[in-house]
Amino acid sequence: MFKINDIFSQEEIDFLYETIKNKETFSNGELGRLQVNEVRDGLKIWTLERLKDVIKGFTDLPLEISSVTYVEYNSLYGRPNLPPHLDGDTNDFILNIQIESNTDWALGLNLETYEIKDNSAIVFNPNKEIHWRVHKEFKDGEYVRMLFVRLFNPDSPSDYSHLPHKQDDEMFREARAFRDSYPQG
């Protein structure tokens, strides 16, 4: 797990929001979030280069960006909730970038929690580290806006599709218990 601060300039953040406005959105009530896929296609070259510079700051692996997804957790889209899980895809890392938030909502990795601040990221392998968010009742108007940048190694592709995906799988029992005992945010 790595923490990175000051990911984007204000100009890059403004352009990101402009890009999102022009994309199709999906609402996921189960997770309480609005989602915009394929954001990468609308980003400017200098934003992608900035992300590549960030990647070089934590690994020498020849990682490539497989996807960039924007999400906004907000009670407008259901009850924000992210129980313990693994992603089960082919990516080796994820940059969990908090673009903007007006509330705190800690990220859990295995049996530890981390605060993410605006314009900062936590980097981890979403297929090896059980990840989740603390229980939180979002008040009207509260939101957390994230950018998920998924990364893979084209020289040595991984396949994590065999990993359990069901929330009630025994593998997640300890993380669920830890999350349930954690003070609500």
Side-chain angles (χ1 to χ4, degrees):
M1 190 281 304
F2 303 92
K3 284 182 128 179
I4 302 166
N5 295 316
D6 303 319
I7 304 286
F8 296 120
S9 68
Q10 188 58 53
E11 182 181 8
E12 289 168 318
I13 292 171
D14 293 344
F15 185 78
L16 173 65
Y17 283 134
E18 281 299 314
T19 300
I20 291 163
K21 284 195 308 190
N22 298 319
K23 295 282 187 178
E24 185 176 358
T25 62
F26 301 92
S27 182
N28 184 329
E30 184 178 318
L31 299 176
R33 73 184 189 191
L34 173 80
Q35 183 168 321
V36 181
N37 296 323
E38 302 307 325
V39 174
R40 175 187 170 171
D41 299 342
L43 296 179
K44 290 186 176 179
I45 295 298
W46 46 265
T47 302
L48 293 173
E49 290 303 316
R50 173 64 184 127
L51 289 171
K52 288 179 182 178
D53 287 345
V54 168
I55 295 162
K56 289 176 189 169
F58 69 84
T59 184
D60 291 333
L61 292 173
L63 297 177
E64 294 291 330
I65 298 171
S66 64
S67 68
V68 179
T69 304
Y70 169 84
V71 298
E72 178 180 328
Y73 294 95
N74 189 318
S75 61
L76 291 172
Y77 311 116
R79 183 179 179 270
N81 180 36
L82 196 63
H85 68 285
L86 296 171
D87 288 358
D89 57 26
T90 59
N91 294 292
D92 296 303
F93 289 97
I94 188 169
L95 292 171
N96 255 23
I97 304 170
Q98 182 169 299
I99 301 298
E100 180 182 8
S101 175
N102 63 2
T103 188
D104 293 327
W105 197 28
L107 172 71
L109 293 178
N110 302 307
L111 301 180
E112 294 188 40
T113 59
Y114 301 90
E115 294 295 329
I116 307 175
K117 299 299 178 194
D118 289 355
N119 201 20
S120 67
I122 292 182
V123 183
F124 61 95
N125 185 323
N127 295 297
K128 289 184 176 178
E129 296 192 67
I130 297 170
H131 52 288
W132 46 277
R133 291 288 188 137
V134 298
H135 291 289
K136 177 178 179 63
E137 192 68 40
F138 276 60
K139 297 177 183 141
D140 287 346
E142 287 185 330
Y143 60 85
V144 174
R145 296 176 179 151
M146 302 290 299
L147 198 64
F148 300 141
V149 181
R150 296 180 181 280
L151 310 161
F152 74 103
N153 183 347
D155 294 344
S156 180
S158 299
D159 180 8
Y160 299 102
S161 62
H162 64 283
L163 296 172
H165 295 91
K166 295 185 179 179
Q167 303 304 311
D168 60 352
D169 190 279
E170 183 63 22
M171 177 182 200
F172 305 117
R173 182 183 53 76
E174 192 175 16
R176 278 193 316 267
F178 181 80
R179 179 185 188 227
D180 290 346
S181 70
Y182 197 85
Q184 183 163 332

